[in-house]
Structure formats: C-alpha cells, structure tokens
C-alpha cells in the first residue's frame, strides 16, 4: 500500500507518526527492566528470582518487543504491507492489556507499590515501579492513537460509518446472532459475579482468605466485571445493529473487552501466584477459564462482523 499516505489528512498522518515513535520510546524502560529481571538483576524481591517468575518476565520482554515493532509499523509505510493477521492479533491482545490498565494506573500503581513495600520489596523497587507505570501509561495513550491513524488508512470500515449496512449473499449474520447471544449471556453472568465480588460479596470466596482481598484484588476484579459487561453491550449492538447509530462505540467496547478477557485471564492462569487468590479453587478456575473462552469467541464474532461489513461497504 505504498503511496497511500495522501488519503489521510496531513494532521492525522503526523499524529500517527509522532504517536508511534512516542509509544516505542515509552515502552523502552519497561523492556529494559523486564530484561534485567529475566537475568536476575535488580530484583525487588527474592521470590521474583524463581524460575517461574523469570519465565513470566521473559514472556513480557517478548510482549514489549512486539509493542515496539507495532509502534514502528503504525508510523511507517512498510507497516501497511504486513499481513492483516500479523497486525490484528497482537493489536487485539495489546489493546486488551493496555486500555484497561491505562484507566486503572492512577490508583493501581500506588496500590501496587504499597502492597509490594508491605511484602518487603527492596527500596529501589519504588523507582522501578514508577518507570513501569510511566511506560504503560505512555504506550497506553500513544499506541492506540497511532493505531487509529493506521486503521483509518488500511481498514476505514472498522472505524467509520453507521451501525447498519446491507447484506450480501454468503453473509454470516445468523451465525453471529447465535454465537453472540451465548457470549453476551456468558459475559453478563461473568460481569455480575466479578462486580458482586468487587463490592464485597463473599459467595464463592474462601472464608479463610477474606483478609487477602486487598485494593489490588478489588480493582482487578471490578475491572474484569466492568469490561465483561461493556463487551456484552458492544457485542449485542454489533449483532443486532440496534442501540447505537455509529459503528465505532460498540466495536471499540467489544474489541477491548474481548482482548481484555482473553489476555488478563490467560496471564492470571500462568502467574505463579494464581493459586493464592481468595476465591475458592473451583470458582477461580471457572471464572478465569470462562473469561478466556468468552474473549476468544467474542473475537471470532468481531472478525465475522468486520468481514461482512467490509464486503458490503466496498461492493
């Protein structure tokens, strides 16, 4: 798609480039810290020297490196020639991780520092945590803005236009509705459970671990519940084409929610301290696995919606 830059207003093109570069710069401190932790350097606690934690940090090094590559792809013409799946998959996971974290950062950052300090973290961890939060906030702001410019050029139908559009032979509307209703019901149920726990409900919580519900746990639990409900709304609007005149709001809600449910719950499963959360083991496993499955199926439905929409709008 070389030579297509003239389709974008110069201001939007400039924003795309600047935000892409800023996102790459912002994530660099996070990348360096995670590399150091992977090799056992500057560890805030002895526990993070365990092989399991170092493996987690190595995985986040890969995630950060992919984020830098994406930022550069969004800001340079060569990024427009990448295969769609190679862009869409990491963007789906990345927006699911970053956008919710961006909203939580003002409270979650200090809460994490307080919790780690009480757990005996080294003094320099406070400075590392500041760099981590600055990186996450910076990339959480800049990368979506760069993505918006990139998407506006490459897949304008994903951002613009009314919610309704015509049908072409071979559409998947009925499949979208059938799967969508199941996913919407699952997201509502998961959202209600998570919000119930976040406001202090104890059904499904181990009585012996009630005191382990700190601010960090409450915020992440509420975050999952809120995004599950937002995703249910967004997906319901996409499949019924009622509830919003514009396509972007429900699309954004469903996209971020599906990525968040998949990535956050998958990360929870592979964390070494997964078993230490206060939910009963069965409740913990069921809600976590449900989040992963719902996120994946919601993502598939979104792809079906976008496929049919693209066919209908470019005919």
């Amino acid at each position: 798609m070389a030579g297509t830059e003239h389709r974008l207003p110069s201001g939007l093109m400039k924003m795309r480039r600047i935000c892409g570069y800023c996102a790459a710069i912002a994530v660099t401190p996070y990348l360096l810290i995670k590399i150091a932790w992977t090799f056992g350097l500057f560890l805030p606690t002895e526990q993070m020297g365990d092989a399991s934690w170092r493996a987690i940090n190595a995985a986040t090094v890969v995630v950060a490196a992919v984020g830098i590559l994406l930022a550069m792809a969004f800001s340079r013409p060569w990024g427009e020639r990448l295969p769609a799946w190679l862009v869409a998959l990491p963007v789906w996971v990345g927006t699911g991780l970053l956008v919710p974290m961006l909203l939580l950062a003002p409270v979650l950052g200090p809460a994490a520092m307080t919790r780690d300090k009480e757990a005996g973290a080294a003094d320099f961890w406070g400075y590392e945590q500041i760099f981590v939060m600055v990186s996450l906030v910076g990339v959480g702001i800049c990368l979506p803005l760069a993505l918006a410019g990139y998407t506006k050029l490459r897949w304008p139908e994903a951002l613009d236009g009314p919610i309704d559009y015509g049908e072409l032979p071979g559409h998947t509307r009925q499949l979208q509705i059938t799967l969508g209703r199941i996913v919407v019901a699952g997201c509502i149920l998961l959202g209600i459970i998570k919000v119930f726990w976040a406001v202090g409900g104890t059904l499904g919580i181990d009585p012996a671990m009630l005191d382990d519900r700190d601010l960090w746990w409450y915020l992440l639990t509420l975050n999952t519940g809120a995004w599950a409900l937002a995703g249910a709304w967004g997906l319901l609007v996409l499949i019924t084409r009622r509830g919003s005149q514009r396509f972007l709001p429900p699309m954004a809600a469903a996209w971020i929610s599906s990525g968040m449910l998949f990535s956050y719950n998958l990360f929870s499963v592979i964390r070494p301290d997964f078993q230490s959360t206060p939910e009963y083991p069965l409740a913990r496993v069921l809600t976590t696995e449900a989040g992963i499955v719902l996120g994946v199926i919601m993502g598939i439905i979104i792809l079906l919606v976008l496929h049919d929409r693209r066919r209908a709008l470019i005919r």
Side-chain angles (χ1 to χ4, degrees):
M1 293 186 64
T4 58
E5 291 189 7
H6 67 277
R7 296 187 205 167
L8 282 181
S10 59
L12 186 58
M13 197 67 229
K14 184 177 181 180
M15 180 201 74
R16 170 187 165 187
R17 287 175 175 166
I18 292 175
C19 289
Y21 295 146
C22 289
I25 294 171
V27 80
T28 300
Y30 179 87
L31 174 65
L32 295 177
I33 290 173
K34 290 295 185 172
I35 290 174
W37 289 352
T38 300
F39 288 99
L41 304 174
F42 307 112
L43 294 174
T45 64
E46 293 183 4
Q47 180 188 21
M48 290 187 66
D50 297 341
S52 56
W53 273 111
R54 292 172 72 170
I56 290 290
N57 287 322
T60 56
V61 167
V62 175
V63 172
V66 170
I68 292 176
L69 291 175
L70 279 178
M72 300 308 298
F74 294 158
S75 59
R76 302 303 303 165
W78 58 263
E80 300 159 21
R81 297 188 292 272
L82 293 174
W85 68 268
L86 193 59
V87 176
L89 181 59
V91 165
W92 178 62
V93 174
T95 51
L97 284 170
L98 291 172
V99 174
M101 180 59 67
L102 180 63
L103 300 176
L104 290 176
V107 179
L108 196 59
M113 294 174 68
T114 300
R115 186 185 69 169
D116 293 338
K117 186 176 180 180
E118 292 174 351
D123 291 338
F124 60 80
W125 166 230
Y127 300 102
E128 289 181 324
Q129 187 78 307
I130 291 173
F131 278 116
V132 168
M133 285 298 166
V134 169
S135 287
L136 292 177
V137 171
V139 75
I141 293 173
C142 295
L143 196 61
L145 291 176
L147 172 63
Y150 179 89
T151 305
K152 179 74 173 177
L153 175 63
R154 189 168 182 183
W155 300 296
E157 70 278 357
L159 297 180
D160 294 333
I163 188 68
D164 203 2
Y165 53 90
E167 305 286 4
L168 291 181
H171 64 82
T172 60
R173 180 77 184 279
Q174 189 56 52
L175 178 60
Q176 295 170 26
I177 292 175
T178 302
L179 286 178
R181 286 173 176 170
I182 297 173
V183 173
V184 167
C187 285
I188 291 174
L189 178 59
L190 178 63
I192 290 174
I193 292 172
K194 290 290 187 174
V195 172
F196 171 74
W197 284 343
V199 297
T202 57
L203 183 63
I205 303 296
D206 187 348
M209 302 184 70
L210 289 177
D211 293 338
D212 294 339
R213 299 178 299 169
D214 56 9
L215 182 59
W216 176 280
W217 180 85
Y218 279 115
L219 284 174
L220 291 181
T221 301
L222 179 61
N223 180 58
T224 302
W227 279 108
L229 295 175
W233 171 81
L235 189 62
L236 187 62
V237 172
L238 290 180
I239 63 175
T240 63
R241 302 178 190 173
R242 295 194 298 268
S244 173
Q245 293 185 346
R246 308 301 299 175
F247 181 73
L248 181 57
M251 173 61 188
W255 179 272
I256 296 170
S257 173
S258 60
M260 181 271 168
L261 289 174
F262 172 78
S263 57
Y264 270 72
N265 284 291
L266 180 62
F267 182 69
S268 296
V269 169
I270 64 177
R271 279 175 61 100
D273 58 353
F274 175 61
Q275 302 296 330
S276 64
T277 54
E279 304 93 331
Y280 280 118
L282 180 61
R284 177 173 58 246
V285 170
L286 287 178
T287 53
T288 304
E289 298 294 337
I292 296 173
V293 172
L294 289 171
V296 170
I297 300 178
M298 194 188 305
I300 293 173
I301 297 171
I302 291 172
L303 291 179
L304 294 176
V305 170
L306 290 174
H307 176 265
D308 286 358
R309 182 179 177 83
R310 183 176 179 83
R311 291 179 64 231
L313 293 179
I314 65 175
R315 62 181 175 179

